Amino acid sequence: MKRKNFDKIVTAVGFGITVILFVGAGLLNWGASFAQDSVKSQLDNQNISFPDAAEMPEATKTQLAKWSEMKVTTGEMARDYSDLYIWEHMKGSAIAVMGKPATYSEVSGVYMGLVRGGSTDVEKIKQYGDLRQTLFMGNTLRGMLLEAYAFGTLGVIAGYAAIASLVGGVLFLLLGIAGLMHIRRTPEDATI
């Protein structure tokens, strides 16, 4: 095979990869922007804010202090609000009623056992019913916030992938240009 023909094939493939990487960079950047904008707008609509540092749970105060009195607008903030603020309150509520941290399913099981078991302790049934409702609402809000965190994280990953794709596209473009220059210098009779 003639060297010039081989160089032309390799250079054409390089330019094809360049186009694919540039298109990929554009699409990934669009996806990253869409994810970040969606997370921000949806969290803005929820109007959730961190309290003053003095009102934060003791167990997570040092981790949450950086967000003191800030509105939740990013996936990272949503994760921290969910895992370090709501979760601590849910555990505290369960400890107040059951003496230990408990999940919704555990509390619901106790509540249903009291109701179906014919318990006459109305106050205890009310406590477990209220705790069950609190944990249900807490889990629901946590789920939504953690979904915002996941979506935001995918946006961040897409942003990094867009940068990597752009860098790769530039690299392949430079290699393609170098290939064109090499083709011009290759003698017609050179073979592989």
Side-chain angles (χ1 to χ4, degrees), residues 119-167:
S119 175
T120 57
D121 189 346
V122 176
E123 183 58 33
K124 191 171 188 179
I125 292 172
K126 181 178 178 349
Q127 278 184 324
Y128 278 92
D130 290 347
L131 178 58
R132 178 179 177 229
Q133 183 68 19
T134 296
L135 295 180
F136 179 79
M137 290 188 302
N139 278 335
T140 301
L141 184 54
R142 285 188 73 237
M144 289 185 274
L145 288 170
L146 291 173
E147 187 173 337
Y149 167 65
F151 202 66
T153 300
L154 289 175
V156 169
I157 292 168
Y160 289 137
I163 292 168
S165 187
L166 181 63
V167 169

mmCIF file of all heavy atoms in Angstrom, residues 119-167:
data_model
loop_
_atom_site.group_PDB
_atom_site.id
_atom_site.type_symbol
_atom_site.label_atom_id
_atom_site.label_comp_id
_atom_site.label_asym_id
_atom_site.label_seq_id
_atom_site.Cartn_x
_atom_site.Cartn_y
_atom_site.Cartn_z
ATOM 1 N N SER A 119 -55.129 -2.304 70.719
ATOM 2 C CA SER A 119 -54.629 -1.510 71.844
ATOM 3 C C SER A 119 -55.638 -0.421 72.211
ATOM 4 O O SER A 119 -56.264 0.185 71.350
ATOM 5 C CB SER A 119 -53.291 -0.868 71.473
ATOM 6 O OG SER A 119 -52.868 -0.009 72.505
ATOM 7 N N THR A 120 -55.742 -0.189 73.485
ATOM 8 C CA THR A 120 -56.642 0.867 73.967
ATOM 9 C C THR A 120 -55.861 2.095 74.424
ATOM 10 O O THR A 120 -56.459 3.067 74.897
ATOM 11 C CB THR A 120 -57.510 0.346 75.131
ATOM 12 O OG1 THR A 120 -56.641 -0.120 76.156
ATOM 13 C CG2 THR A 120 -58.437 -0.760 74.665
ATOM 14 N N ASP A 121 -54.561 2.057 74.254
ATOM 15 C CA ASP A 121 -53.715 3.187 74.653
ATOM 16 C C ASP A 121 -53.760 4.245 73.542
ATOM 17 O O ASP A 121 -52.934 4.269 72.645
ATOM 18 C CB ASP A 121 -52.282 2.707 74.893
ATOM 19 C CG ASP A 121 -51.398 3.776 75.515
ATOM 20 O OD1 ASP A 121 -51.801 4.969 75.516
ATOM 21 O OD2 ASP A 121 -50.315 3.417 75.997
ATOM 22 N N VAL A 122 -54.747 5.109 73.627
ATOM 23 C CA VAL A 122 -54.998 6.119 72.593
ATOM 24 C C VAL A 122 -53.801 7.060 72.441
ATOM 25 O O VAL A 122 -53.444 7.438 71.318
ATOM 26 C CB VAL A 122 -56.294 6.908 72.924
ATOM 27 C CG1 VAL A 122 -56.525 8.013 71.922
ATOM 28 C CG2 VAL A 122 -57.477 5.963 72.993
ATOM 29 N N GLU A 123 -53.190 7.427 73.531
ATOM 30 C CA GLU A 123 -52.049 8.349 73.482
ATOM 31 C C GLU A 123 -50.869 7.716 72.738
ATOM 32 O O GLU A 123 -50.216 8.367 71.920
ATOM 33 C CB GLU A 123 -51.635 8.758 74.900
ATOM 34 C CG GLU A 123 -50.509 9.768 74.960
ATOM 35 C CD GLU A 123 -50.801 11.077 74.234
ATOM 36 O OE1 GLU A 123 -51.978 11.512 74.218
ATOM 37 O OE2 GLU A 123 -49.864 11.663 73.667
ATOM 38 N N LYS A 124 -50.608 6.444 73.015
ATOM 39 C CA LYS A 124 -49.509 5.743 72.354
ATOM 40 C C LYS A 124 -49.806 5.592 70.856
ATOM 41 O O LYS A 124 -48.913 5.792 70.021
ATOM 42 C CB LYS A 124 -49.292 4.375 73.000
ATOM 43 C CG LYS A 124 -48.025 3.691 72.567
ATOM 44 C CD LYS A 124 -47.783 2.454 73.405
ATOM 45 C CE LYS A 124 -46.431 1.859 73.117
ATOM 46 N NZ LYS A 124 -46.164 0.689 73.931
ATOM 47 N N ILE A 125 -51.039 5.263 70.524
ATOM 48 C CA ILE A 125 -51.429 5.143 69.112
ATOM 49 C C ILE A 125 -51.235 6.482 68.414
ATOM 50 O O ILE A 125 -50.714 6.557 67.291
ATOM 51 C CB ILE A 125 -52.882 4.641 68.976
ATOM 52 C CG1 ILE A 125 -52.981 3.190 69.444
ATOM 53 C CG2 ILE A 125 -53.382 4.790 67.549
ATOM 54 C CD1 ILE A 125 -54.394 2.646 69.530
ATOM 55 N N LYS A 126 -51.629 7.563 69.069
ATOM 56 C CA LYS A 126 -51.477 8.902 68.485
ATOM 57 C C LYS A 126 -49.993 9.242 68.296
ATOM 58 O O LYS A 126 -49.605 9.771 67.255
ATOM 59 C CB LYS A 126 -52.156 9.954 69.346
ATOM 60 C CG LYS A 126 -52.040 11.357 68.748
ATOM 61 C CD LYS A 126 -52.751 12.382 69.581
ATOM 62 C CE LYS A 126 -52.622 13.799 69.067
ATOM 63 N NZ LYS A 126 -51.712 14.109 68.039
ATOM 64 N N GLN A 127 -49.163 8.934 69.295
ATOM 65 C CA GLN A 127 -47.734 9.216 69.184
ATOM 66 C C GLN A 127 -47.117 8.490 67.984
ATOM 67 O O GLN A 127 -46.387 9.084 67.203
ATOM 68 C CB GLN A 127 -46.992 8.768 70.445
ATOM 69 C CG GLN A 127 -47.044 9.734 71.579
ATOM 70 C CD GLN A 127 -46.189 9.236 72.745
ATOM 71 O OE1 GLN A 127 -46.123 8.029 73.008
ATOM 72 N NE2 GLN A 127 -45.539 10.175 73.421
ATOM 73 N N TYR A 128 -47.427 7.197 67.872
ATOM 74 C CA TYR A 128 -46.873 6.424 66.768
ATOM 75 C C TYR A 128 -47.470 6.848 65.427
ATOM 76 O O TYR A 128 -46.787 6.853 64.399
ATOM 77 C CB TYR A 128 -47.047 4.916 67.003
ATOM 78 C CG TYR A 128 -45.972 4.358 67.900
ATOM 79 C CD1 TYR A 128 -46.146 4.285 69.275
ATOM 80 C CD2 TYR A 128 -44.764 3.944 67.365
ATOM 81 C CE1 TYR A 128 -45.148 3.795 70.106
ATOM 82 C CE2 TYR A 128 -43.754 3.446 68.193
ATOM 83 C CZ TYR A 128 -43.957 3.384 69.554
ATOM 84 O OH TYR A 128 -42.951 2.907 70.356
ATOM 85 N N GLY A 129 -48.727 7.220 65.418
ATOM 86 C CA GLY A 129 -49.359 7.718 64.192
ATOM 87 C C GLY A 129 -48.721 9.020 63.734
ATOM 88 O O GLY A 129 -48.444 9.209 62.542
ATOM 89 N N ASP A 130 -48.480 9.924 64.690
ATOM 90 C CA ASP A 130 -47.829 11.192 64.355
ATOM 91 C C ASP A 130 -46.398 10.969 63.888
ATOM 92 O O ASP A 130 -45.938 11.588 62.915
ATOM 93 C CB ASP A 130 -47.846 12.140 65.556
ATOM 94 C CG ASP A 130 -49.233 12.668 65.877
ATOM 95 O OD1 ASP A 130 -50.153 12.507 65.042
ATOM 96 O OD2 ASP A 130 -49.388 13.232 66.983
ATOM 97 N N LEU A 131 -45.683 10.083 64.582
ATOM 98 C CA LEU A 131 -44.309 9.777 64.179
ATOM 99 C C LEU A 131 -44.287 9.139 62.796
ATOM 100 O O LEU A 131 -43.448 9.469 61.957
ATOM 101 C CB LEU A 131 -43.641 8.857 65.208
ATOM 102 C CG LEU A 131 -42.206 8.429 64.886
ATOM 103 C CD1 LEU A 131 -41.294 9.638 64.731
ATOM 104 C CD2 LEU A 131 -41.691 7.481 65.960
ATOM 105 N N ARG A 132 -45.215 8.250 62.548
ATOM 106 C CA ARG A 132 -45.329 7.593 61.242
ATOM 107 C C ARG A 132 -45.517 8.643 60.151
ATOM 108 O O ARG A 132 -44.857 8.605 59.116
ATOM 109 C CB ARG A 132 -46.511 6.622 61.287
ATOM 110 C CG ARG A 132 -46.791 5.892 60.013
ATOM 111 C CD ARG A 132 -47.978 4.957 60.259
ATOM 112 N NE ARG A 132 -48.359 4.276 59.064
ATOM 113 C CZ ARG A 132 -49.591 4.192 58.610
ATOM 114 N NH1 ARG A 132 -50.585 4.730 59.286
ATOM 115 N NH2 ARG A 132 -49.854 3.540 57.513
ATOM 116 N N GLN A 133 -46.405 9.604 60.396
ATOM 117 C CA GLN A 133 -46.657 10.679 59.427
ATOM 118 C C GLN A 133 -45.409 11.553 59.237
ATOM 119 O O GLN A 133 -45.051 11.912 58.123
ATOM 120 C CB GLN A 133 -47.845 11.531 59.886
ATOM 121 C CG GLN A 133 -48.239 12.618 58.919
ATOM 122 C CD GLN A 133 -48.824 12.074 57.634
ATOM 123 O OE1 GLN A 133 -49.271 10.935 57.551
ATOM 124 N NE2 GLN A 133 -48.797 12.889 56.604
ATOM 125 N N THR A 134 -44.738 11.879 60.314
ATOM 126 C CA THR A 134 -43.523 12.697 60.251
ATOM 127 C C THR A 134 -42.443 11.996 59.429
ATOM 128 O O THR A 134 -41.811 12.609 58.568
ATOM 129 C CB THR A 134 -42.995 12.977 61.675
ATOM 130 O OG1 THR A 134 -43.974 13.745 62.374
ATOM 131 C CG2 THR A 134 -41.674 13.716 61.661
ATOM 132 N N LEU A 135 -42.232 10.718 59.698
ATOM 133 C CA LEU A 135 -41.206 9.975 58.969
ATOM 134 C C LEU A 135 -41.582 9.792 57.504
ATOM 135 O O LEU A 135 -40.712 9.839 56.624
ATOM 136 C CB LEU A 135 -40.942 8.625 59.638
ATOM 137 C CG LEU A 135 -40.338 8.696 61.047
ATOM 138 C CD1 LEU A 135 -40.114 7.288 61.596
ATOM 139 C CD2 LEU A 135 -39.054 9.497 61.067
ATOM 140 N N PHE A 136 -42.859 9.627 57.231
ATOM 141 C CA PHE A 136 -43.305 9.503 55.842
ATOM 142 C C PHE A 136 -43.011 10.796 55.084
ATOM 143 O O PHE A 136 -42.451 10.786 53.978
ATOM 144 C CB PHE A 136 -44.801 9.167 55.777
ATOM 145 C CG PHE A 136 -45.318 9.049 54.379
ATOM 146 C CD1 PHE A 136 -45.091 7.908 53.641
ATOM 147 C CD2 PHE A 136 -46.021 10.101 53.794
ATOM 148 C CE1 PHE A 136 -45.562 7.797 52.342
ATOM 149 C CE2 PHE A 136 -46.488 9.997 52.498
ATOM 150 C CZ PHE A 136 -46.259 8.852 51.768
ATOM 151 N N MET A 137 -43.376 11.926 55.677
ATOM 152 C CA MET A 137 -43.126 13.215 55.017
ATOM 153 C C MET A 137 -41.623 13.475 54.896
ATOM 154 O O MET A 137 -41.154 13.981 53.877
ATOM 155 C CB MET A 137 -43.816 14.345 55.781
ATOM 156 C CG MET A 137 -45.333 14.297 55.649
ATOM 157 S SD MET A 137 -46.192 15.730 56.332
ATOM 158 C CE MET A 137 -45.670 15.715 58.018
ATOM 159 N N GLY A 138 -40.877 13.136 55.927
ATOM 160 C CA GLY A 138 -39.428 13.323 55.878
ATOM 161 C C GLY A 138 -38.787 12.482 54.787
ATOM 162 O O GLY A 138 -37.934 12.961 54.036
ATOM 163 N N ASN A 139 -39.201 11.214 54.692
ATOM 164 C CA ASN A 139 -38.658 10.345 53.644
ATOM 165 C C ASN A 139 -39.034 10.849 52.257
ATOM 166 O O ASN A 139 -38.237 10.761 51.328
ATOM 167 C CB ASN A 139 -39.164 8.907 53.820
ATOM 168 C CG ASN A 139 -38.366 8.142 54.836
ATOM 169 O OD1 ASN A 139 -37.218 8.452 55.097
ATOM 170 N ND2 ASN A 139 -38.975 7.136 55.425
ATOM 171 N N THR A 140 -40.247 11.357 52.114
ATOM 172 C CA THR A 140 -40.686 11.876 50.820
ATOM 173 C C THR A 140 -39.835 13.074 50.413
ATOM 174 O O THR A 140 -39.326 13.126 49.286
ATOM 175 C CB THR A 140 -42.177 12.269 50.875
ATOM 176 O OG1 THR A 140 -42.943 11.115 51.225
ATOM 177 C CG2 THR A 140 -42.654 12.803 49.542
ATOM 178 N N LEU A 141 -39.663 14.021 51.314
ATOM 179 C CA LEU A 141 -38.846 15.193 51.005
ATOM 180 C C LEU A 141 -37.393 14.799 50.774
ATOM 181 O O LEU A 141 -36.744 15.289 49.841
ATOM 182 C CB LEU A 141 -38.953 16.231 52.127
ATOM 183 C CG LEU A 141 -38.215 17.546 51.886
ATOM 184 C CD1 LEU A 141 -38.626 18.185 50.567
ATOM 185 C CD2 LEU A 141 -38.466 18.501 53.030
ATOM 186 N N ARG A 142 -36.881 13.900 51.583
ATOM 187 C CA ARG A 142 -35.509 13.439 51.386
ATOM 188 C C ARG A 142 -35.340 12.801 50.008
ATOM 189 O O ARG A 142 -34.354 13.048 49.313
ATOM 190 C CB ARG A 142 -35.114 12.416 52.464
ATOM 191 C CG ARG A 142 -34.842 13.044 53.812
ATOM 192 C CD ARG A 142 -34.273 12.043 54.812
ATOM 193 N NE ARG A 142 -32.890 11.769 54.434
ATOM 194 C CZ ARG A 142 -32.414 10.555 54.171
ATOM 195 N NH1 ARG A 142 -33.161 9.488 54.280
ATOM 196 N NH2 ARG A 142 -31.160 10.395 53.832
ATOM 197 N N GLY A 143 -36.319 11.996 49.609
ATOM 198 C CA GLY A 143 -36.247 11.350 48.292
ATOM 199 C C GLY A 143 -36.195 12.367 47.163
ATOM 200 O O GLY A 143 -35.414 12.228 46.217
ATOM 201 N N MET A 144 -37.024 13.399 47.266
ATOM 202 C CA MET A 144 -37.024 14.424 46.226
ATOM 203 C C MET A 144 -35.714 15.207 46.206
ATOM 204 O O MET A 144 -35.169 15.508 45.140
ATOM 205 C CB MET A 144 -38.212 15.363 46.416
ATOM 206 C CG MET A 144 -39.543 14.698 46.073
ATOM 207 S SD MET A 144 -40.925 15.831 46.146
ATOM 208 C CE MET A 144 -41.336 15.740 47.879
ATOM 209 N N LEU A 145 -35.202 15.540 47.370
ATOM 210 C CA LEU A 145 -33.941 16.274 47.435
ATOM 211 C C LEU A 145 -32.773 15.421 46.939
ATOM 212 O O LEU A 145 -31.883 15.919 46.249
ATOM 213 C CB LEU A 145 -33.678 16.760 48.858
ATOM 214 C CG LEU A 145 -34.573 17.903 49.332
ATOM 215 C CD1 LEU A 145 -34.386 18.144 50.826
ATOM 216 C CD2 LEU A 145 -34.311 19.165 48.545
ATOM 217 N N LEU A 146 -32.777 14.153 47.287
ATOM 218 C CA LEU A 146 -31.697 13.275 46.836
ATOM 219 C C LEU A 146 -31.777 13.023 45.331
ATOM 220 O O LEU A 146 -30.754 12.813 44.675
ATOM 221 C CB LEU A 146 -31.698 11.970 47.626
ATOM 222 C CG LEU A 146 -31.279 12.138 49.089
ATOM 223 C CD1 LEU A 146 -31.468 10.834 49.867
ATOM 224 C CD2 LEU A 146 -29.843 12.637 49.205
ATOM 225 N N GLU A 147 -32.976 13.083 44.774
ATOM 226 C CA GLU A 147 -33.112 12.988 43.317
ATOM 227 C C GLU A 147 -32.506 14.231 42.661
ATOM 228 O O GLU A 147 -31.825 14.141 41.638
ATOM 229 C CB GLU A 147 -34.573 12.841 42.923
ATOM 230 C CG GLU A 147 -34.763 12.568 41.456
ATOM 231 C CD GLU A 147 -36.193 12.258 41.110
ATOM 232 O OE1 GLU A 147 -36.981 11.832 41.970
ATOM 233 O OE2 GLU A 147 -36.537 12.456 39.931
ATOM 234 N N ALA A 148 -32.735 15.400 43.251
ATOM 235 C CA ALA A 148 -32.113 16.627 42.751
ATOM 236 C C ALA A 148 -30.592 16.513 42.841
ATOM 237 O O ALA A 148 -29.871 16.937 41.926
ATOM 238 C CB ALA A 148 -32.607 17.845 43.533
ATOM 239 N N TYR A 149 -30.098 15.937 43.927
ATOM 240 C CA TYR A 149 -28.659 15.733 44.082
ATOM 241 C C TYR A 149 -28.129 14.809 42.976
ATOM 242 O O TYR A 149 -27.105 15.105 42.343
ATOM 243 C CB TYR A 149 -28.341 15.146 45.460
ATOM 244 C CG TYR A 149 -26.945 14.613 45.588
ATOM 245 C CD1 TYR A 149 -25.845 15.465 45.508
ATOM 246 C CD2 TYR A 149 -26.716 13.254 45.774
ATOM 247 C CE1 TYR A 149 -24.553 14.977 45.608
ATOM 248 C CE2 TYR A 149 -25.430 12.764 45.876
ATOM 249 C CZ TYR A 149 -24.351 13.622 45.791
ATOM 250 O OH TYR A 149 -23.079 13.134 45.886
ATOM 251 N N ALA A 150 -28.827 13.707 42.733
ATOM 252 C CA ALA A 150 -28.383 12.754 41.707
ATOM 253 C C ALA A 150 -28.382 13.416 40.328
ATOM 254 O O ALA A 150 -27.426 13.280 39.560
ATOM 255 C CB ALA A 150 -29.281 11.517 41.715
ATOM 256 N N PHE A 151 -29.441 14.137 40.022
ATOM 257 C CA PHE A 151 -29.551 14.801 38.726
ATOM 258 C C PHE A 151 -28.452 15.861 38.595
ATOM 259 O O PHE A 151 -27.828 15.996 37.538
ATOM 260 C CB PHE A 151 -30.941 15.424 38.607
ATOM 261 C CG PHE A 151 -31.387 15.678 37.207
ATOM 262 C CD1 PHE A 151 -31.626 14.627 36.337
ATOM 263 C CD2 PHE A 151 -31.593 16.967 36.762
ATOM 264 C CE1 PHE A 151 -32.061 14.865 35.040
ATOM 265 C CE2 PHE A 151 -32.020 17.219 35.469
ATOM 266 C CZ PHE A 151 -32.247 16.167 34.603
ATOM 267 N N GLY A 152 -28.212 16.605 39.655
ATOM 268 C CA GLY A 152 -27.147 17.607 39.644
ATOM 269 C C GLY A 152 -25.778 16.973 39.468
ATOM 270 O O GLY A 152 -24.919 17.511 38.750
ATOM 271 N N THR A 153 -25.557 15.830 40.112
ATOM 272 C CA THR A 153 -24.282 15.123 39.982
ATOM 273 C C THR A 153 -24.082 14.640 38.549
ATOM 274 O O THR A 153 -22.976 14.733 38.007
ATOM 275 C CB THR A 153 -24.212 13.944 40.969
ATOM 276 O OG1 THR A 153 -24.346 14.464 42.297
ATOM 277 C CG2 THR A 153 -22.906 13.185 40.853
ATOM 278 N N LEU A 154 -25.147 14.138 37.930
ATOM 279 C CA LEU A 154 -25.042 13.724 36.523
ATOM 280 C C LEU A 154 -24.692 14.917 35.644
ATOM 281 O O LEU A 154 -23.927 14.794 34.684
ATOM 282 C CB LEU A 154 -26.345 13.074 36.056
ATOM 283 C CG LEU A 154 -26.639 11.701 36.637
ATOM 284 C CD1 LEU A 154 -28.018 11.214 36.205
ATOM 285 C CD2 LEU A 154 -25.564 10.707 36.227
ATOM 286 N N GLY A 155 -25.238 16.088 35.981
ATOM 287 C CA GLY A 155 -24.893 17.297 35.241
ATOM 288 C C GLY A 155 -23.427 17.658 35.389
ATOM 289 O O GLY A 155 -22.768 18.049 34.417
ATOM 290 N N VAL A 156 -22.896 17.523 36.595
ATOM 291 C CA VAL A 156 -21.478 17.810 36.829
ATOM 292 C C VAL A 156 -20.608 16.830 36.039
ATOM 293 O O VAL A 156 -19.631 17.229 35.393
ATOM 294 C CB VAL A 156 -21.149 17.745 38.341
ATOM 295 C CG1 VAL A 156 -19.648 17.766 38.584
ATOM 296 C CG2 VAL A 156 -21.831 18.888 39.076
ATOM 297 N N ILE A 157 -20.976 15.562 36.061
ATOM 298 C CA ILE A 157 -20.223 14.545 35.308
ATOM 299 C C ILE A 157 -20.273 14.855 33.814
ATOM 300 O O ILE A 157 -19.266 14.768 33.113
ATOM 301 C CB ILE A 157 -20.760 13.131 35.614
ATOM 302 C CG1 ILE A 157 -20.451 12.761 37.064
ATOM 303 C CG2 ILE A 157 -20.175 12.107 34.654
ATOM 304 C CD1 ILE A 157 -21.183 11.524 37.561
ATOM 305 N N ALA A 158 -21.453 15.240 33.325
ATOM 306 C CA ALA A 158 -21.580 15.597 31.909
ATOM 307 C C ALA A 158 -20.718 16.802 31.577
ATOM 308 O O ALA A 158 -20.130 16.881 30.487
ATOM 309 C CB ALA A 158 -23.045 15.877 31.563
ATOM 310 N N GLY A 159 -20.616 17.747 32.501
ATOM 311 C CA GLY A 159 -19.759 18.911 32.280
ATOM 312 C C GLY A 159 -18.297 18.515 32.150
ATOM 313 O O GLY A 159 -17.575 19.000 31.260
ATOM 314 N N TYR A 160 -17.834 17.631 33.026
ATOM 315 C CA TYR A 160 -16.449 17.150 32.935
ATOM 316 C C TYR A 160 -16.232 16.358 31.645
ATOM 317 O O TYR A 160 -15.189 16.478 30.999
ATOM 318 C CB TYR A 160 -16.078 16.296 34.142
ATOM 319 C CG TYR A 160 -15.925 17.084 35.421
ATOM 320 C CD1 TYR A 160 -16.451 16.603 36.611
ATOM 321 C CD2 TYR A 160 -15.257 18.300 35.452
ATOM 322 C CE1 TYR A 160 -16.318 17.324 37.792
ATOM 323 C CE2 TYR A 160 -15.114 19.013 36.622
ATOM 324 C CZ TYR A 160 -15.654 18.524 37.791
ATOM 325 O OH TYR A 160 -15.508 19.240 38.956
ATOM 326 N N ALA A 161 -17.209 15.553 31.274
ATOM 327 C CA ALA A 161 -17.103 14.779 30.037
ATOM 328 C C ALA A 161 -17.078 15.706 28.820
ATOM 329 O O ALA A 161 -16.376 15.438 27.839
ATOM 330 C CB ALA A 161 -18.257 13.786 29.928
ATOM 331 N N ALA A 162 -17.818 16.816 28.883
ATOM 332 C CA ALA A 162 -17.807 17.790 27.788
ATOM 333 C C ALA A 162 -16.421 18.394 27.635
ATOM 334 O O ALA A 162 -15.915 18.543 26.507
ATOM 335 C CB ALA A 162 -18.840 18.883 28.037
ATOM 336 N N ILE A 163 -15.796 18.727 28.751
ATOM 337 C CA ILE A 163 -14.444 19.296 28.701
ATOM 338 C C ILE A 163 -13.461 18.268 28.131
ATOM 339 O O ILE A 163 -12.642 18.596 27.267
ATOM 340 C CB ILE A 163 -14.001 19.771 30.103
ATOM 341 C CG1 ILE A 163 -14.842 20.972 30.538
ATOM 342 C CG2 ILE A 163 -12.513 20.109 30.126
ATOM 343 C CD1 ILE A 163 -14.702 21.344 32.005
ATOM 344 N N ALA A 164 -13.557 17.026 28.598
ATOM 345 C CA ALA A 164 -12.665 15.974 28.107
ATOM 346 C C ALA A 164 -12.878 15.749 26.610
ATOM 347 O O ALA A 164 -11.914 15.589 25.847
ATOM 348 C CB ALA A 164 -12.897 14.677 28.877
ATOM 349 N N SER A 165 -14.129 15.764 26.171
ATOM 350 C CA SER A 165 -14.435 15.572 24.760
ATOM 351 C C SER A 165 -13.907 16.732 23.923
ATOM 352 O O SER A 165 -13.373 16.533 22.826
ATOM 353 C CB SER A 165 -15.947 15.428 24.586
ATOM 354 O OG SER A 165 -16.274 15.090 23.266
ATOM 355 N N LEU A 166 -14.032 17.943 24.444
ATOM 356 C CA LEU A 166 -13.513 19.118 23.736
ATOM 357 C C LEU A 166 -11.990 19.048 23.615
ATOM 358 O O LEU A 166 -11.424 19.285 22.537
ATOM 359 C CB LEU A 166 -13.930 20.399 24.457
ATOM 360 C CG LEU A 166 -13.478 21.706 23.820
ATOM 361 C CD1 LEU A 166 -14.105 21.874 22.438
ATOM 362 C CD2 LEU A 166 -13.821 22.878 24.713
ATOM 363 N N VAL A 167 -11.322 18.691 24.698
ATOM 364 C CA VAL A 167 -9.861 18.565 24.668
ATOM 365 C C VAL A 167 -9.455 17.478 23.677
ATOM 366 O O VAL A 167 -8.522 17.655 22.874
ATOM 367 C CB VAL A 167 -9.305 18.278 26.089
ATOM 368 C CG1 VAL A 167 -7.843 17.871 26.045
ATOM 369 C CG2 VAL A 167 -9.495 19.503 26.978
#
